[in-house]
DNA sequence: CCTGTCACG
DNA sequence: GACGTACGTGACAGGG
């Protein structure tokens, strides 16, 4: 039964095309298994639609809803202006066939689906929004398209579904500087490069808003254009009047589209399970259909597996995808069954292994169980430390659950297999499991690691966690650990999970790992990254494990004394700040500080960020500090606050009670360029630049009788740039051991080296770094705090003197645009899926593309050094402890300091060879001392 | 959970 | 005076 649309009703209008394009760009090019039909955009679209429907609960839920699509490419706007949207790129080939399917998907979710030949979706949305408003109801437009901001107001709002941000009249003001009713005026002037709306040349949104606010509306402005003071602006408006008026017609949405339906037709309906399931099954969306089926309480459709198709008569070698069946996993309870699994692993030559533990810190947690998988769909779980009773018993029991073997017995059987050189052990993130097993006396080898394979194959395309990989490459959503453990305060540890449940979760992980391995292994060759995986990834993992387990000694007393000193200084500064402000406030709150500075004290230069708050970053405060004491004190306070909370306080909590040392964790797949990341704690950002901060390094000490040594590559990225871009002048300077920044300065500013001043040198230094980062006039200007034009002059001069750099940058960008990835000298691929994007993403991607081969090659070189290091120093009483991108830190017995420096330096300086012979020497500087501050 | 801020190379 | 911009990370605090 239909009800009328009126007061109390809430209409949702979804911009269908926006959903589709977001889905298309967010997902890899998935295809339907049975016939290879491109299906990624449909999958993403359905996920978004589903997530949207799920979110529709509570008082704000819509009563009416529709998804609106564009139909055809010719609209009445093309009749007015044949270049309208003319610079749009053609729809990607693999997206076109998915268009009708997105309509089917919408109908399958039982949501009204509307489009009209000759009108854009925006016009239909405009018409419906106005109808809803006139009927006294509300309307939410789910889109972030600024073209629709003209509709906001009077009960109409927009919602950016991805950012989950509502856009109301204030939001429109923020974007356009005018209210919704004047948005078209501003757009008419500013034009729109995306839609190819011409506007007035040389006038952007800022200027347009200024003019409209001054003259009231576009027509008045154009009529009175002769009154404008700026001659250029005045002439532009007079000369381009017709074009501006046309632009307004183009951006003005048609609120009277002749619709063949009414608001009443859009009433929200529950999905009909059968229709929805049929569609999802047809698309072969296993994960989604299962998830939705579970939620609405129906049976998930059975989706047949693809027949293994033979290509060119040859047998298909793609592993056949068996369905995931948690009931098929085995709970291993006795020695006989375990020995059977062990024997099968040995016979097969490989086995996927996963360990379950009581937590995340591999230096602390206990082993709870082990899982094995040898065939897809077949896996077992061997529990060793599950406790009795969990759910019903608040404290749990300390008694062991039934059906388990002892850890000792299990490892007695598995150790020979895990250490068997002829059996490959496959892990997802082997470093974690191997460290656990090492603590139980098992040295696992040889290994493969699906996480590292994914990193070698897909860096830049996706993250490399198991859940993400399973969804992306197996279309299977694994059981979430949270469903077993809960979250927050009430979370339990894995040893409290009932074994029946643990079997399903844990064994599935081993199953997934095995399937991913089968999928990725042939890919390594096809993508030509086998060498990267085998020489830069796999062998590094055990080296990192070793470093992490060794840890670095940190002196708690030193830190604690510093904490106290910082606290005192901060208290003093805080009192001063409150005094200067004339009121008490939270100095640590940027929001409160902004109000004090710019509202209460009325200082100039307050800029609001996108959340409407004033920006109070260090650069802002530094500018203010020249005139005022308060911002200067805040800067001091902030520095101390950072040092105290992040370093002197937090670091103490990371001292392992058993070892008295700090054990960081390196994330080998953390940075797309090949760099490592360090977490828990991050030991790659210990302060060094400020005197006060550097003292924190005094707390990193050597054991008595030992010394810390630090070796770091000198200007490694610039050397690599000189080599890759083949800049003879730079290369020669490095060969001659010259001061490279001074030499650059001399070349650029025609200053003889003897007469070089620190100021000129430091400018050249900034430019040298800028080049590595993908230089821009704006960025350099900000860095050097000089006018933009001046910065641009420097850059131009730099390119004149070193034309090879410009060539390198252009070639690298072109390569990236063609191949969608860039490469290091050692063959590491860093994917750049955004490189051909339009809009603001483009700049980011192209600078990242310029930087990645340089940063990545440097990362590869130090990796090679680290991999060779254990063998090189094995006869020395020395341990490698830390890596900080271009620096390695060792702890060594006092007697062997010089020997270790000599050996480690040789390894580091020769690390590129023999794979690559650089045209420039690599130079390593060394330091030593009782603590890191002295050694660095 | 997200954002701003700031520590490092 | 179109637009937004240096590259790569992780941790902490505030605030909704």
């Amino acid at each position: 039964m239909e009800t009328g649309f009126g007061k109390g009703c809430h209409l949702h209008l979804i911009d269908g095309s926006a959903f589709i394009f977001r889905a298309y760009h967010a997902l890899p090019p998935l295809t339907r298994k049975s016939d290879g039909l491109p299906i990624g955009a449909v999958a993403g679209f359905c996920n978004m639609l589903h997530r949207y429907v799920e979110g529709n609960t509570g008082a704000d839920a819509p009563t009416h809803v529709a998804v609106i699509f564009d139909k055809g490419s010719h609209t009445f706007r093309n009749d007015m202006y044949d270049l309208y949207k003319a610079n749009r790129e053609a729809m990607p080939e693999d997206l076109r066939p998915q268009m009708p399917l997105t309509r089917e998907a919408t109908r399958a979710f039982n949501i009204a689906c509307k489009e009209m030949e000759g009108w854009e979706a925006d016009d239909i949305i405009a018409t419906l929004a106005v109808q809803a408003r006139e009927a006294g109801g509300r309307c939410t437009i789910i889109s972030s398209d600024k073209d629709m901001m003209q509709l906001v107001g009077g009960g109409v709002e927009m919602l950016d579904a991805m950012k989950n941000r509502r856009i109301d009249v204030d939001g429109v003001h923020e974007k356009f500087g005018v209210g919704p009713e004047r948005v078209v005026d501003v757009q008419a002037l500013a034009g729109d490069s995306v839609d190819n709306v011409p506007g007035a040349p040389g006038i952007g949104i800022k200027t347009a808003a200024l003019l409209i606010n001054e003259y009231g509306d576009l027509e008045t402005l154009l009529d009175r254009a002769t009154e404008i003071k700026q001659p250029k602006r005045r002439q532009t408006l007079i000369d381009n009047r017709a074009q501006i008026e046309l632009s307004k017609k183009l951006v003005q949405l048609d609120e009277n589209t002749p619709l063949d339906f009414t608001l009443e037709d859009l009433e929200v309906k529950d999905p009909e399970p059968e229709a929805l399931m049929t569609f999802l099954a047809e698309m072969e969306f296993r994960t989604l259909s299962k998830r939705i089926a579970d939620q609405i309480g129906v049976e998930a459709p059975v989706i047949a597996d693809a027949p293994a198709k033979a290509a060119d008569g040859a047998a298909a070698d793609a592993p056949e995808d068996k369905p995931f069946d948690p009931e098929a996993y085995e709970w291993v309870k006795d020695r006989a069954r375990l020995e059977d699994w062990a024997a099968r692993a040995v016979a097969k030559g490989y086995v996927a292994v996963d360990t379950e533990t009581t937590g995340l810190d591999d230096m602390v947690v206990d082993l709870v169980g082990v899982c094995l998988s040898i065939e897809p769909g077949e896996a077992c779980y061997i529990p060793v430390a599950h406790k009795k009773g969990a759910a019903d018993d608040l404290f749990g029991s300390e008694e062991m659950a039934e059906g388990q073997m002892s850890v000792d017995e299990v490892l007695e059987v598995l150790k020979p297999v895990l250490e068997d050189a002829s059996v490959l052990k496959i892990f997802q993130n082997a470093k974690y499991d191997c460290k656990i097993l090492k603590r139980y006396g098992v040295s696992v080898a040889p290994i493969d690691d699906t996480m590292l394979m994914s990193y070698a194959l897909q860096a830049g395309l996706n993250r490399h966690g198991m859940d993400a990989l399973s969804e992306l490459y197996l279309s299977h959503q694994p059981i979430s650990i949270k469903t077993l453990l809960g979250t927050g305060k009430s979370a339990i540890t894995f040893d409290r999970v009932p074994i029946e449940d643990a079997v399903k979760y844990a064994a599935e992980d081993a199953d997934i790992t095995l399937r991913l391995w089968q999928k990725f292994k042939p890919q390594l060759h096809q993508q030509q990254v086998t060498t990267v995986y085998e020489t830069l990834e796999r062998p590094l993992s055990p080296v990192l494990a070793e470093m992490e387990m060794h840890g670095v000694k940190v002196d708690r007393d030193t830190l604690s004394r510093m904490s106290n000193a910082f606290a005192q200084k901060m208290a003093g500064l805080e009192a001063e700040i409150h005094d200067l402000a004339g009121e008490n406030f939270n100095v640590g709150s940027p929001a409160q500080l902004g109000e004090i500075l710019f509202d209460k004290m009325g200082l100039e230069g307050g800029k609001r960020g996108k959340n409407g708050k004033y920006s109070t970053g260090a650069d802002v405060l530094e500018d203010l500090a020249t005139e005022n004491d308060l911002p200067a004190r805040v800067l001091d306070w902030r520095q101390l606050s950072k040092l105290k909370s992040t370093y002197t306080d937090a670091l103490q909590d990371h001292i392992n009670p058993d070892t008295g040392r700090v054990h960081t964790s390196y994330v080998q797949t953390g940075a797309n360029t090949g760099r490592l990341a360090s977490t828990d704690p991050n030991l790659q950002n210990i302060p060094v630049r400020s005197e006060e901060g550097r003292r924190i390094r005094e707390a990193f000490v050597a054991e008595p009788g030992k010394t810390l040594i630090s070796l770091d590559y000198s200007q490694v990225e610039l050397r690599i740039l000189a080599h890759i871009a083949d800049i003879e002048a730079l290369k020669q300077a490095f060969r001659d051991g010259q001061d490279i920044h001074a030499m650059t300065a001399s070349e650029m500013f025609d200053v003889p080296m003897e007469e070089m001043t620190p100021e000129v040198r430091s400018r050249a230094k900034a430019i040298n770094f800028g080049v590595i980062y993908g230089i821009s006039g704006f960025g350099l200007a900000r860095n050097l705090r000089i006018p933009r034009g001046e910065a641009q002059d420097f850059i131009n001069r730099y390119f004149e003197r070193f034309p090879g750099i410009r060539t390198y940058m252009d070639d690298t960008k072109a390569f990236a645009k063609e191949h969608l990835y860039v490469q290091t000298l050692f063959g590491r691929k860093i994917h750049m899926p955004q490189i051909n994007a339009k809009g603001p993403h483009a700049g980011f991607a192209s600078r990242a593309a310029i930087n990645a081969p340089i940063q990545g090659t440097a990362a590869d070189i130090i990796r090679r050094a680290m991999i060779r290091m254990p063998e090189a120093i094995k006869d020395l009483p020395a341990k490698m402890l830390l890596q900080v991108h271009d620096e390695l830190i060792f702890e060594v017995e006092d007697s062997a300091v010089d020997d270790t420096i000599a050996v480690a330096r040789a390894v580091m300086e020769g690390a590129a060879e023999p794979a690559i012979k650089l045209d420039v020497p690599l130079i390593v500087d060394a330091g030593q001392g009782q603590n890191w501050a002295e050694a660095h």
Side-chain angles (χ1 to χ4, degrees):
Chain A
M1 192 178 70
E2 287 184 0
T3 51
F5 187 97
K7 210 167 157 47
C9 288
H10 186 177
L11 170 66
H12 272 195
L13 295 171
I14 297 171
D15 179 353
S17 305
F19 264 39
I20 294 170
F21 280 95
R22 266 186 177 161
Y24 178 76
H25 291 294
L27 289 179
L30 307 174
T31 53
R32 182 157 68 185
K33 198 147 285 161
S34 60
D35 60 359
L37 179 75
I39 211 82
V42 185
F45 182 85
C46 288
N47 272 317
M48 290 165 79
L49 216 50
H50 176 239
R51 226 178 313 154
Y52 160 78
V53 173
E54 267 187 318
N56 276 339
T57 51
D60 215 31
T63 57
H64 297 70
V65 61
V67 183
I68 315 294
F69 294 97
D70 295 307
K71 186 169 191 178
S73 56
H74 191 94
T75 70
F76 67 90
R77 290 186 179 84
N78 297 98
D79 296 334
M80 294 195 290
Y81 181 56
D82 52 6
L83 291 177
Y84 181 66
K85 294 201 174 181
N87 57 6
R88 273 268 154 109
E89 275 185 61
M91 188 182 295
E93 273 313 305
D94 57 332
L95 179 54
R96 196 176 299 277
Q98 302 188 60
M99 283 299 176
L101 296 174
T102 57
R103 275 64 166 178
E104 271 187 53
T106 309
R107 286 187 281 267
F109 277 88
N110 213 5
I111 298 175
C113 167
K114 301 294 177 189
E115 54 194 312
M116 268 178 71
E117 187 82 51
W119 275 271
E120 294 186 51
D122 295 7
D123 297 311
I124 305 176
I125 291 174
T127 305
L128 290 169
V130 168
Q131 287 180 6
R133 175 160 57 204
E134 283 169 358
R138 290 176 57 207
C139 176
T140 299
I141 300 166
I142 293 150
S143 170
S144 51
D145 190 340
K146 59 185 178 344
D147 292 346
M148 269 172 299
M149 291 195 177
Q150 56 184 277
L151 301 169
V152 168
V156 180
E157 286 186 0
M158 291 173 65
L159 175 72
D160 184 336
M162 298 309 285
K163 296 184 186 148
N164 201 20
R165 226 171 63 127
R166 290 197 85 84
I167 301 165
D168 54 12
V169 175
D170 288 344
V172 175
H173 251 285
E174 220 171 274
K175 174 83 195 168
F176 280 104
V178 296
E181 65 288 347
R182 294 274 86 87
V183 162
V184 285
D185 291 355
V186 168
Q187 284 185 293
L189 286 168
D192 183 348
S193 59
V194 179
D195 290 348
N196 208 28
V197 172
I203 292 187
I205 289 183
K206 290 278 152 60
T207 314
L210 207 76
L211 289 168
I212 295 298
N213 282 325
E214 192 176 337
Y215 289 88
D217 60 41
L218 184 65
E219 289 66 32
T220 314
L221 169 68
L222 291 178
D223 288 342
R224 295 169 51 193
T226 49
E227 300 169 21
I228 294 171
K229 292 184 192 75
Q230 300 87 336
K232 209 170 163 191
R233 215 176 263 179
R234 178 175 61 228
Q235 207 52 42
T236 302
L237 291 191
I238 295 171
D239 293 349
N240 295 287
R241 177 162 192 151
Q243 187 174 310
I244 294 167
E245 284 168 337
L246 170 68
S247 297
K248 178 162 179 173
K249 282 189 195 144
L250 289 174
V251 297
Q252 177 83 58
L253 297 180
D254 182 355
E255 297 172 353
N256 293 301
T257 313
L259 303 176
D260 55 2
F261 59 92
T262 64
L263 287 178
E264 282 74 30
D265 298 333
L266 309 181
E267 203 176 359
V268 169
K269 287 175 274 190
D270 283 334
E272 282 163 23
E274 199 178 330
L276 181 55
M277 285 304 144
T278 307
F279 175 78
L280 295 174
E282 235 173 72
M283 294 295 107
E284 300 173 17
F285 296 153
R286 290 175 175 77
T287 312
L288 186 62
S289 61
K290 190 160 172 297
R291 196 184 312 162
I292 297 181
D294 288 351
Q295 282 169 2
I296 58 183
V298 299
E299 195 74 25
V302 179
I303 297 167
D305 282 309
K309 268 190 282 184
D312 301 333
D317 58 356
E320 200 170 319
D321 286 2
K322 275 196 190 162
F324 281 89
D325 177 10
E327 303 303 325
Y329 300 136
E330 178 180 346
W331 173 356
V332 172
K333 300 181 183 182
D334 58 58
R335 187 168 184 129
R337 288 302 305 141
L338 182 58
E339 282 174 342
D340 185 52
W341 275 92
R344 284 178 62 200
V346 173
K348 193 89 184 178
Y350 60 79
V351 55
V353 186
D354 185 31
T355 58
E356 302 303 334
T357 61
T358 50
L360 290 171
D361 184 348
D362 49 27
M363 288 299 296
V364 171
V365 298
D366 296 318
L367 188 63
V368 177
V370 182
C371 340
L372 307 173
S373 174
I374 294 168
E375 294 272 354
E378 257 183 78
C380 72
Y381 181 56
I382 311 135
V384 297
H386 283 260
K387 306 265 169 56
K388 245 183 188 166
D392 45 353
D393 185 344
L394 189 58
F395 300 102
S397 161
E398 287 312 305
E399 225 176 299
M400 284 294 171
E402 304 291 322
Q404 305 186 84
M405 281 179 281
S406 72
V407 191
D408 291 346
E409 189 176 8
V410 168
L411 291 181
E412 193 183 310
V413 177
L414 289 183
K415 184 175 154 91
V417 182
L418 293 171
E419 296 184 346
D420 187 334
S422 65
V423 181
L424 181 68
K425 273 70 64 176
I426 304 156
F427 296 90
Q428 162 72 17
N429 191 12
K431 177 158 66 70
Y432 180 86
D433 303 272
C434 291
K435 281 171 77 178
I436 303 287
L437 288 164
K438 186 81 193 178
R439 286 178 38 224
Y440 287 83
V442 180
S443 301
V444 186
I447 59 152
D448 248 342
D449 189 331
T450 49
M451 185 173 84
L452 301 183
M453 288 178 162
S454 171
Y455 184 56
L457 286 165
Q458 290 127 207
L461 291 180
N462 50 260
R463 302 271 81 201
H464 314 284
M466 193 174 68
D467 290 6
L469 295 180
S470 177
E471 292 213 38
L472 277 172
Y473 298 97
L474 305 175
S475 306
H476 172 73
Q477 189 180 34
I479 303 169
S480 126
I481 186 77
K482 280 180 190 155
T483 60
L484 291 187
L485 303 184
T487 52
K489 255 186 115 158
S490 58
I492 56 170
T493 46
F494 202 85
D495 55 333
R496 302 271 174 205
V497 174
I499 299 180
E500 308 81 76
D501 300 337
V503 171
K504 296 191 182 92
Y505 166 86
E508 183 185 73
D509 281 1
D511 188 5
I512 290 170
T513 304
L514 185 74
R515 294 181 199 226
L516 288 173
W517 178 74
Q518 291 186 339
K519 202 144 227 164
F520 290 160
K521 196 85 182 170
Q523 284 287 315
L524 292 172
H525 272 288
Q526 286 165 31
Q527 312 278 340
Q528 301 179 319
V529 288
T530 306
T531 308
V532 170
Y533 172 70
E534 286 181 358
T535 66
L536 295 173
E537 303 300 343
R538 192 169 57 182
L540 183 61
S541 175
V543 175
L544 295 177
E546 185 86 11
M547 292 165 71
E548 294 173 8
M549 284 188 289
H550 209 271
V552 58
K553 183 168 163 120
V554 173
D555 186 60
R556 185 187 298 276
D557 291 343
T558 305
L559 290 177
S560 144
R561 273 201 309 276
M562 287 180 179
S563 276
N564 291 336
F566 290 153
Q568 276 193 11
K569 272 199 183 176
M570 283 168 68
L573 283 168
E574 197 170 324
E576 253 185 278
I577 290 165
H578 289 165
D579 205 41
L580 286 165
E583 68 178 282
N584 287 359
F585 69 101
N586 184 347
V587 181
S589 163
Q592 294 177 32
L593 176 65
E595 283 177 30
I596 297 279
L597 286 171
F598 301 114
D599 288 340
K600 182 163 184 203
M601 298 175 59
L603 298 185
E604 298 288 314
K607 270 199 229 119
R608 291 179 190 271
K610 48 185 153 199
N611 60 5
K613 305 262 172 61
Y614 290 112
S615 167
T616 65
D619 48 348
V620 177
L621 297 189
E622 271 162 30
D623 286 343
L624 299 174
T626 55
E627 303 281 327
N628 289 281
D629 283 343
L630 191 144
R633 299 287 174 278
V634 172
L635 281 168
D636 292 342
W637 184 92
R638 279 211 184 139
Q639 192 198 8
L640 294 175
S641 161
K642 182 78 174 183
L643 295 178
K644 182 171 187 298
S645 67
T646 311
Y647 301 105
T648 56
D649 286 352
L651 224 37
Q652 297 186 52
D653 301 334
H654 283 285
I655 298 175
N656 183 301
D658 295 333
T659 65
R661 299 171 74 96
V662 170
H663 306 266
T664 184
S665 194
Y666 289 103
V667 191
Q668 203 176 326
T669 58
N672 291 337
T673 52
R675 274 197 180 178
L676 302 177
S678 160
T679 66
D680 307 296
N682 181 354
L683 296 188
Q684 291 183 321
N685 72 344
I686 303 300
V688 69
R689 292 174 190 168
S690 78
E691 178 57 39
E692 214 143 26
R694 187 156 54 237
R695 297 206 51 197
I696 290 169
R697 295 187 173 218
E698 292 171 10
F700 290 74
V701 295
E703 297 277 358
K706 296 185 179 176
T707 300
L708 287 186
I709 63 178
S710 158
L711 295 98
D712 69 289
Y713 285 107
S714 163
Q715 288 162 343
V716 61
E717 293 191 354
L718 272 178
R719 288 170 197 266
I720 290 164
L721 174 70
H723 173 92
I724 296 186
D726 197 20
I727 313 298
E728 194 47 48
L730 290 181
K731 292 198 293 193
Q732 194 57 45
F734 279 126
R735 284 190 208 111
D736 297 344
Q738 282 189 46
D739 176 338
I740 198 69
H741 300 310
M743 176 268 170
T744 310
S746 165
E747 277 281 321
M748 280 184 62
F749 304 110
D750 295 320
V751 181
M753 290 287 272
E754 311 76 68
E755 295 169 25
M756 188 56 55
T757 64
E759 291 74 44
V760 176
R761 180 184 181 275
S762 85
R763 292 195 161 189
K765 183 176 174 182
I767 297 170
N768 275 332
F769 276 105
V771 168
I772 293 172
Y773 297 150
I775 201 158
S776 76
F778 182 93
L780 185 65
R782 196 169 65 173
N783 192 288
L784 286 176
R785 293 168 172 271
I786 57 174
R788 204 173 140 173
E790 214 173 305
Q792 194 56 52
D793 288 345
F794 288 172
I795 294 170
N796 294 343
R797 209 172 318 170
Y798 188 94
F799 284 146
E800 265 169 44
R801 294 300 160 100
F802 306 106
I805 304 260
R806 155 89 39 89
T807 312
Y808 161 74
M809 293 172 96
D810 292 343
D811 290 353
T812 306
K813 276 189 272 188
F815 184 95
K817 280 172 183 285
E818 185 185 343
H819 297 98
L820 300 182
Y821 67 82
V822 292
Q823 263 179 311
T824 66
L825 285 182
F826 298 90
R828 174 187 302 284
K829 289 183 180 178
I830 299 114
H831 294 268
M832 297 277 155
Q834 299 277 29
I835 190 75
N836 290 317
K838 298 272 179 258
H841 293 304
F844 280 113
S846 82
R847 288 192 298 271
I850 289 165
N851 173 260
I854 303 169
Q855 189 182 113
T857 298
D860 289 347
I861 288 174
I862 197 166
R863 277 173 179 238
R864 290 167 64 90
M866 292 170 75
I867 289 164
R868 292 177 189 171
M869 200 61 76
E871 174 66 22
I873 63 172
K874 72 172 192 301
D875 295 327
L876 291 164
K879 289 284 179 202
M880 182 163 59
L881 306 186
L882 301 174
Q883 188 249 43
V884 190
H885 308 310
D886 64 358
E887 174 187 15
L888 292 175
I889 291 125
F890 300 78
E891 186 176 29
V892 53
E893 283 183 17
D894 294 337
S895 58
V897 167
D898 293 341
D899 288 349
T900 304
I901 290 178
V903 169
R905 172 179 273 147
V907 170
M908 289 174 73
E909 292 185 344
E913 297 164 31
I916 298 287
K917 178 79 189 104
L918 291 174
D919 299 340
V920 289
L922 290 177
I923 299 296
V924 168
D925 299 324
Q928 55 170 298
Q930 278 318 106
N931 61 57
W932 195 2
E934 289 174 16
H936 184 75

